[in-house]
């Protein structure tokens, strides 16, 4: 109540909650889309793992953080405390806003921790990491969970009864507020350190691969997006002492803003490497479409009919080709015997035809082998051009 004895803030009664309200729900919508694409990418290659489920839990925890945060904003959680208390139901509003602020914190802490655990699980799955790298990743996963869970428990253990955290009308035995502030600073700093380690760990592996420098740098950037989450976490850590300000509802605006940004960046940067199958699919489709524009289309495969009619009959049906018909069934024994008999009979006919043409060859059709045995080649009879043209029209020449 001492704040009512102070002069009103010079900037007047302003509500900065609309900005946080828009950012929070935008972060949640984008997180849902990114996580859905992550599952779509891994379902397509049958690689859904516990890293995907951890990221889904992180999105649900983000929703648990945003819902009470939205109710807190609608009750004036980002206004000056002086103007909230000046309203007729000001005290009840302050109690409600403070209670919702404490309810938000465990969801935010565990959302950030679960997102980092998902990143560690992804590293264990997609990287054939060595023994010491694997042990280090497991250490980051377990330590992040334990530190964050301990912070969430101590947050509500600071007062007995617990209602003393937000209700100033009851008598409660509470710790010094700076104790919980230091615990929260340690947890946030630890998470920043984990982000940096998980972002730099793949660099120690990719940099020694036998590939071009451009590809190695691209892989390092792909797996090193956690540095953005580390930067936002460092900024949020610097805002934590503002939770003990006298004008707490106005002073915690930056803390709420960067807290939401850190949760979103953890989900975003932890899911970008998992979206690589979708990126590869889009690039492959684009290359195929580009190749189809500048390449010659393939001709279909055909096979001729089995029998060819004689040219002397004037029948041109031998020019008709039929597509190859693919059959999946194996031929029976009767079909094999029938095809063999047909092949033998056709072979006899072909041999008889060849012998007939060999015997009745015209003198000008004789080959070099005939000349070696004394049969000389003569010039074919010349046909007058008008007669040849007339005969050609009747397929005679």
């Amino acid at each position: 109540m001492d704040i009512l004895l102070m002069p009103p803030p010079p900037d007047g009664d302003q509500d900065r909650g609309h900005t946080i309200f828009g950012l929070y729900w935008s972060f949640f919508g984008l997180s849902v889309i990114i996580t859905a694409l992550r599952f779509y990418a891994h379902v397509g290659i049958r690689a859904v793992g516990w890293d995907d489920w951890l990221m889904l839990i992180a999105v649900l925890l983000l929703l648990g953080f945003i819902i009470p945060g939205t109710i807190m904003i609608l009750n004036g959680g980002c206004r000056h405390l002086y103007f909230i208390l000046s309203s007729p139901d000001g005290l009840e509003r302050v109690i409600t806003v403070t209670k919702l602020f404490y309810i938000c914190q465990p969801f935010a802490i565990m959302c950030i921790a679960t997102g980092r655990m998902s990143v560690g699980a992804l590293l264990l799955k997609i990287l054939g990491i060595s023994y010491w790298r694997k042990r280090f990743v497991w250490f980051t996963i377990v330590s992040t969970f334990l530190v964050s869970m301990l912070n969430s428990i101590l947050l509500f253990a600071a007062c007995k009864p617990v209602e003393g955290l937000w209700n100033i009308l009851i008598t409660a035995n509470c710790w010094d507020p700076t104790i919980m502030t230091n615990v929260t600073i340690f947890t946030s700093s630890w998470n920043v350190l984990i982000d940096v380690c998980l972002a730099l760990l793949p660099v120690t592996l990719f940099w020694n691969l036998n590939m071009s420098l451009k590809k190695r740098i691209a892989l390092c950037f792909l797996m090193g997006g956690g540095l953005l989450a580390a930067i936002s976490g460092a900024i949020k850590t610097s805002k934590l002492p503002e939770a003990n300000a006298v004008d707490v509802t106005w002073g915690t605006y930056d803390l709420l803003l960067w807290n939401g940004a850190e949760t979103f960046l953890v989900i975003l940067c932890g899911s970008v490497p998992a979206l690589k199958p979708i990126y590869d699919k889009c690039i492959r489709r684009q290359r195929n479409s580009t190749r189809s524009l500048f390449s010659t289309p393939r001709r279909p495969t055909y096979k001729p009919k089995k029998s060819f009619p004689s040219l002397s009959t004037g029948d041109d049906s031998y020019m008709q080709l039929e597509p190859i018909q693919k059959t999946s069934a194996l031929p029976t024994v009767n079909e094999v015997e029938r095809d063999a008999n047909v092949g033998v009979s056709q072979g006899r006919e072909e041999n008889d035809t060849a012998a007939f043409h060999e015997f009745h060859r015209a003198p000008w059709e004789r080959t070099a082998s005939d000349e070696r045995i004394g049969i000389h080649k003569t010039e074919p009879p010349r046909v007058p051009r008008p007669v040849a043209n007339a005969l050609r029209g009747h397929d005679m020449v």
Side-chain angles (χ1 to χ4, degrees):
M1 294 299 179
D2 296 338
I3 192 171
L4 293 177
L5 302 178
M6 300 174 61
D11 52 354
D13 188 9
Q14 299 182 14
D15 191 355
R16 298 187 290 181
H18 302 292
T19 304
I20 295 182
F21 178 83
L23 288 176
Y24 276 10
W25 286 106
S26 299
F27 290 158
F28 177 72
L30 292 174
S31 300
V32 170
I33 295 174
I34 293 169
T35 307
L37 291 175
R38 179 191 184 112
F39 272 88
Y40 173 77
H42 283 182
V43 167
I45 60 175
R46 298 180 180 180
V48 177
W50 61 297
D51 59 310
D52 303 308
W53 297 111
L54 284 174
M55 192 59 72
L56 180 61
I57 294 174
V59 174
L60 296 177
L61 290 172
L62 176 61
L63 180 62
F65 165 67
I66 290 177
I67 290 177
T70 302
I71 301 174
M72 180 187 69
I73 291 170
L74 296 177
N75 283 275
C78 294
R79 295 170 57 196
H80 284 289
L81 187 61
Y82 178 89
F83 295 105
I84 299 176
L85 291 173
S86 299
S87 58
D89 57 344
L91 187 58
E92 289 78 7
R93 282 198 174 189
V94 171
I95 293 175
T96 302
V97 167
T98 308
K99 181 179 180 179
L100 292 170
F101 177 79
Y102 277 98
I103 292 175
C104 289
Q105 297 311 306
F107 288 100
I109 294 172
M110 295 310 300
C111 174
I112 296 172
T114 308
R116 290 183 171 91
M117 292 165 61
S118 175
V119 174
L122 182 64
L123 289 177
L124 291 175
K125 184 172 71 173
I126 68 175
L127 299 180
I129 53 182
S130 62
Y131 178 80
W132 71 268
R133 292 187 180 93
K134 186 175 181 179
R135 289 300 180 94
F136 179 76
V137 172
W138 273 112
F139 170 75
T140 59
I141 293 174
V142 175
S143 62
T144 300
F145 175 78
L146 293 178
V147 171
S148 301
M149 183 61 69
L150 182 62
N151 189 8
S152 301
I153 295 174
L154 293 179
L155 184 65
F156 292 97
C159 279
K160 294 182 180 180
V162 69
E163 290 83 0
L165 290 171
W166 56 80
N167 193 348
I168 61 176
L169 299 179
I170 65 175
T171 303
N173 184 17
C174 299
W175 300 348
D176 188 352
T178 57
I179 296 177
M180 280 310 305
T181 301
N182 293 332
V183 172
T184 308
I185 290 175
F186 170 77
T187 303
S188 183
S189 302
W190 181 260
N191 289 332
V192 171
L193 179 62
I194 294 299
D195 275 335
V196 174
C197 293
L198 292 180
L200 297 181
L201 180 64
V203 178
T204 63
L205 181 66
F206 292 146
W207 204 252
N208 297 324
L209 294 179
N210 187 16
M211 59 176 59
S212 62
L213 179 62
K214 182 179 179 180
K215 290 184 178 180
R216 282 182 289 173
I217 294 176
L219 287 174
C220 293
F221 272 103
L222 182 67
M223 301 299 299
L227 292 176
L228 296 177
I231 294 173
S232 63
I235 298 175
K236 185 199 73 173
T237 304
S238 65
K239 305 294 182 181
L240 286 173
E242 296 178 358
N244 297 327
V246 177
D247 195 356
V248 61
T249 55
W250 185 264
T252 55
Y253 171 81
D254 294 333
L255 177 61
L256 294 173
L257 181 64
W258 285 104
N259 202 356
E262 183 185 12
T263 55
F264 170 69
L265 288 176
V266 167
I267 295 174
L268 174 64
C269 299
S271 299
V272 167
L275 301 181
K276 191 176 183 298
I278 297 180
Y279 173 79
D280 293 339
K281 185 177 181 180
C282 295
I283 293 299
R284 193 181 306 113
R285 183 178 302 173
Q286 182 179 2
R287 288 178 179 175
N288 292 337
S289 61
T290 305
R291 189 181 297 113
S292 63
L293 290 176
F294 297 98
S295 60
T296 304
R298 292 185 177 180
R299 295 182 178 180
T301 305
Y302 293 95
K303 70 173 184 178
K305 291 184 177 181
K306 292 183 179 180
S307 60
F308 292 88
S310 175
L311 297 180
S312 62
T313 60
D315 186 7
D316 59 350
S317 61
Y318 66 93
M319 296 299 295
Q320 300 176 0
L321 303 178
E322 59 181 3
I324 296 177
Q325 302 293 334
K326 295 183 179 180
T327 58
S328 58
L330 295 176
T332 61
V333 176
N334 296 330
E335 293 176 350
V336 172
E337 293 178 353
R338 183 192 63 193
D339 294 341
N341 295 331
V342 171
V344 171
S345 61
Q346 288 181 354
R348 291 174 179 173
E349 293 177 359
E350 291 175 358
N351 293 333
D352 296 341
T353 303
F356 176 81
H357 286 294
E358 181 69 22
F359 182 77
H360 294 283
R361 258 186 313 180
W364 54 84
E365 293 179 349
R366 290 167 184 166
T367 59
S369 60
D370 297 332
E371 294 179 0
R372 284 196 298 269
I373 61 177
I375 302 176
H376 299 284
K377 183 177 181 180
T378 61
E379 294 293 330
R382 297 184 178 273
V383 181
R385 179 171 298 179
V387 178
N389 293 336
L391 295 176
R392 188 178 291 108
H394 295 280
D395 295 334
M396 300 286 293
V397 177

